[in-house]
Amino acid sequence: MVSRFFKAWLATTVLLLAGGCGTPVPAPAMDPAALVWPEPPEPPRIRYLQSVAGAQDWGIERSWLQRLGDALMGTGAQQLVRPSAVAEAAGVLYVADPGTRSLWILDRPNKRASQLKKVGNEALVSPVALALRADGAVFVADTGLNKVFLLDREGALLRTFATQGLERPAGLAWSEAARRLYVLDSKRHRITVFDGNGALLRHMGGSGRGDGQFNYPTHLALDASGALLVTDALNFRIQALSQDGAFLWKFGHQGNGSGDFAAPKGIAADAGGHYYVVDALFDLVQIFDRSGQLLLVFGERGERPGQLMLPRGIFISNEDKVYVADAYNHRVQVFQGAIATAKESTQ
């Protein structure tokens, strides 16, 4: 697929060659508000909304006292460094950022921004995964500490999951209906299940290539039906399991073409049953139906709005806003999704 940015570059190059050594013609500016996928004349299904690199981008201004402190200390506004996971509810944006060893809580309704480097008395090392409860509490998985923490909306520690043999907790999913926490343990190739009080219930999965088995899985999510979605990274596929661990379906394979996986990372589902898979090597997001048919692709490698650089996590809100942790561009990008996708609209 030829991107709009490549087309603009090609047009500029042709003009330069035609003009010889004359005055260079600048590349046409791209209006971020016009970024949609697929490109016109097709009806837009995904629209770029904004990028968030810090609290100010989320509408939270630093107080005059904080700005004075920045000036006296010679520091600038605090910024994301390597966001790995993102979640949002009711205007509160949560970002797990192993680059700053922090959990960011950007509370727009209350105009409050917090950068948590410690949980209780323990310093975070590598926070990489998040899951939200309906009351605004947040689960945070730290692969450096091999622990999962439950924090309230203000960041106070409520509970620690650390004594159940977790070796590399890389993905999280919370079922509000079942009051269950699912922890994806990448090193042990399995899912560990806890009840709402933190008691260990069971383990699901194991190392292998069969249905319900995993090879260094990395990300976990729930779809609208309650199915667990697992990025089975080194098997280059997405697997869906019931909350009791029964295999449901799968799609995906390794390759370098459209619909293939090279380095699948974040997985999320919208309300219409479409599955969004981040690929860190392709620097894009691919949208599939349950059978694995590719419906739409958005993103490409780069630093401009709508472009990605080694993206990792993805989250879809109840309003079908799509949040992508654009790790090596030091930001979270926000898109407006649509229930219908390009191929479905033609069927």
Side-chain angles (χ1 to χ4, degrees), residues 26-81:
M30 174 59 67
D31 178 10
L35 288 174
V36 295
W37 294 263
E39 294 183 21
E42 296 296 322
R45 304 300 176 185
I46 300 289
R47 183 180 301 276
Y48 170 84
L49 295 180
Q50 69 174 119
S51 294
V52 181
Q56 186 171 351
D57 297 328
W58 196 242
I60 304 173
E61 297 291 340
R62 292 172 67 77
S63 70
W64 70 268
L65 189 59
Q66 290 172 319
R67 295 196 298 271
L68 177 61
D70 290 340
L72 293 174
M73 298 296 294
T75 59
Q78 295 172 317
Q79 301 286 308
L80 303 176
V81 172

Side-chain angles (χ1 to χ4, degrees), residues 289-308:
D289 66 14
R290 178 169 165 170
S291 70
Q293 179 186 17
L294 180 65
L295 302 174
L296 187 64
V297 174
F298 66 95
E300 62 183 2
R301 185 174 182 83
E303 301 176 358
R304 299 170 72 171
Q307 296 180 326
L308 303 166

Side-chain angles (χ1 to χ4, degrees), residues 121-137:
N121 295 318
E122 192 163 17
L124 293 171
V125 175
S126 185
V128 299
L130 302 171
L132 295 182
R133 284 196 331 197
D135 60 0

Side-chain angles (χ1 to χ4, degrees), residues 56-235:
Q56 186 171 351
D57 297 328
W58 196 242
I60 304 173
E61 297 291 340
R62 292 172 67 77
S63 70
W64 70 268
L65 189 59
Q66 290 172 319
R67 295 196 298 271
L68 177 61
D70 290 340
L72 293 174
M73 298 296 294
T75 59
Q78 295 172 317
Q79 301 286 308
L80 303 176
V81 172
R82 188 162 46 88
S84 179
V86 58
E88 184 272 337
V92 182
L93 187 69
Y94 304 81
V95 184
D97 184 2
T100 60
R101 299 188 174 191
S102 304
L103 170 69
W104 300 78
I105 303 178
L106 306 183
D107 188 342
R108 185 163 54 197
N110 293 305
K111 300 296 183 183
R112 183 173 59 237
S114 304
Q115 183 186 4
L116 303 180
K117 288 182 170 289
K118 295 183 69 175
V119 174
N121 295 318
E122 192 163 17
L124 293 171
V125 175
S126 185
V128 299
L130 302 171
L132 295 182
R133 284 196 331 197
D135 60 0
V138 58
F139 296 93
V140 184
D142 191 307
T143 57
L145 298 173
N146 296 326
K147 296 179 180 180
V148 176
F149 304 100
L150 174 62
L151 313 178
D152 68 15
R153 183 171 173 150
E154 283 71 44
L157 179 64
L158 299 176
R159 184 173 294 114
T160 301
F161 303 78
T163 59
Q164 293 83 5
L166 298 174
E167 290 198 37
R168 191 173 178 80
L172 297 173
W174 167 256
S175 172
E176 197 73 38
R179 308 293 295 177
R180 297 287 185 266
L181 176 67
Y182 298 87
V183 182
L184 187 66
D185 192 327
S186 183
K187 190 172 181 179
R188 290 199 168 189
H189 316 281
R190 69 186 185 188
I191 298 170
T192 298
V193 188
F194 301 93
D195 70 12
N197 296 316
L200 174 64
L201 297 179
R202 61 185 173 277
H203 303 292
M204 306 187 308
S207 179
R209 298 181 135 204
D211 293 342
Q213 296 179 319
F214 311 115
N215 188 8
Y216 291 99
T218 60
H219 291 76
L220 186 64
L222 283 168
D223 71 6
S225 74
L228 286 164
L229 309 173
V230 183
T231 301
D232 188 7
L234 292 189
N235 281 329

